[in-house]
């Protein structure tokens, strides 16, 4: 994961872009959760909801994707719009065209862009240069769409967010960072257990603690997974080797082995604790098959909720604008 100092987006709220959670007002996040739940009900009842008729979404991916790509593409289609995947290697960015020039051109063709890339500064540059909304589909620093979808899942299962304790164990990566932001905004407790050198971004933790003073959230960063998981309502983990870290595989497997989410660790949580993982999962590494496939696991509910939350984000960013004329 990126260890550079964090720089926040220059645009607050959902006025234009969706890059991180800390810069979005609590009322906006609550509204997105409500809208996602409503859109989920409509879809399950078979009710048509073409709220983005005539809109066009571009998906620019430098990293492989299953859930992000399919949820945004399917979601845009279900909302009456269209989506096109634009692999970075297939466009002129791969031959040296600048982000600025590409962003200016795509802003003339599209209504919004989902970006999945490495350095978070790239997403910030796209947001500065594009005149259309830029949505962070994942960077090495943040994964806000995932964390917001996770809040939807927790709210569905636990009927509340405030006061809920999330325990995260393993590699303190982009998912960890965004979960910390989410917990801080919604008045939750998050306890992180990660080995030294693999803990979440210090800049995000500091900013989240400032937010927590306003919301009553509690943010605990430690190295002991059993301490983190004690009395947790939700126990969360993610892969140990993220995209771009393959050369570190042997080292990471050795250092992170004591942080596996298994039955022994899960016993430290509340008896009705949820098991969460953003997928893809490596059974036998960061999580045991017994736990991932067990009765407390909600990982496929999480995955489904990516669809409904992406749709809510798209509607909030695009729904009140007139359709592009042809």
């Amino acid at each position: 994961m990126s260890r550079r100092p964090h720089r926040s987006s220059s645009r607050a709220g959902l006025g234009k872009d969706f890059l991180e959670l800390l810069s979005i007002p609590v009322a906006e996040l609550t509204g997105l959760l409500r809208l996602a739940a409503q859109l989920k009900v409509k879809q399950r009842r078979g009710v048509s909801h073409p709220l983005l008729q005539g809109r066009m979404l571009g998906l620019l991916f430098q990293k492989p994707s299953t859930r992000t790509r399919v949820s945004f593409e399917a979601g845009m289609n279900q909302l009456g719009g269209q989506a096109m995947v634009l692999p970075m290697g297939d466009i002129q960015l791969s031959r040296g065209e600048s982000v600025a020039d590409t962003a200016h051109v795509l802003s003339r063709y599209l209504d919004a862009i989902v970006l999945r890339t490495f350095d978070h500064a790239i997403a910030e540059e796209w947001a500065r240069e594009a005149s259309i909304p830029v949505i962070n589909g994942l960077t090495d620093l943040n994964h806000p769409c995932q964390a917001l979808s996770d809040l939807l899942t927790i709210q569905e299962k636990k009927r509340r967010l405030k006061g809920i304790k999330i325990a995260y164990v393993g590699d303190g990566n982009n998912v960890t960072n965004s979960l910390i932001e989410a917990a801080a905004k919604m008045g939750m407790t998050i306890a992180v257990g990660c080995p030294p050198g693999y803990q979440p971004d210090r800049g995000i933790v500091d900013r989240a603690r400032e937010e927590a003073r306003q919301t009553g959230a509690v943010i605990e960063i430690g190295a002991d997974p059993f301490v983190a998981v004690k009395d947790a309502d939700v126990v969360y983990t993610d892969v140990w080797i993220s995209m771009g870290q393959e050369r570190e595989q042997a080292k990471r497997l050795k250092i992170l082995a004591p942080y596996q989410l298994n039955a022994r660790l899960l016993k430290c949580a509340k008896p009705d604790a949820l098991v969460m993982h953003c997928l893809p999962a490596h059974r036998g590494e960061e999580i045991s098959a017994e736990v991932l496939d067990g009765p407390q696991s909600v990982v496929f509910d999480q995955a489904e909720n990516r669809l409904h939350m992406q749709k809510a984000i798209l509607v909030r960013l695009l729904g009140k604008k007139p359709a592009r004329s042809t």
Side-chain angles (χ1 to χ4, degrees), residues 123-177:
E124 293 176 326
E125 183 180 6
W126 273 92
R128 286 194 304 271
E129 299 295 342
S131 59
I132 56 176
V134 174
I135 300 168
N136 179 2
L138 177 145
T139 66
D140 287 348
L141 189 67
N142 291 96
H143 200 354
C145 295
Q146 178 67 57
L148 198 52
S149 302
D150 295 335
L151 290 184
L152 178 62
T153 306
I154 295 169
Q155 186 168 267
E156 287 177 343
K157 303 298 183 181
K158 296 295 185 180
R159 302 300 177 189
R160 63 189 175 97
L161 293 175
K162 193 170 183 65
I164 289 289
K165 178 181 176 179
I166 306 173
Y168 180 95
V169 294
D171 181 31
N173 58 16
N174 48 8
V175 171
T176 325
N177 292 335

Side-chain angles (χ1 to χ4, degrees), residues 183-208:
K185 297 296 292 190
M186 307 309 293
M188 305 169 77
T189 292
I190 184 164
V192 174
C194 302
Y198 294 82
Q199 295 191 338
D201 183 87
R202 178 59 63 86
I204 284 180
V205 172
D206 290 344
R207 291 178 62 221

Side-chain angles (χ1 to χ4, degrees), residues 102-124:
T102 308
H104 294 165
V105 170
L106 293 184
S107 294
R108 305 280 182 112
Y109 299 154
L110 305 171
D111 295 289
I113 294 169
V114 177
L115 184 67
R116 186 174 174 92
T117 187
F118 292 91
D119 193 339
H120 192 74
I122 297 173
E124 293 176 326

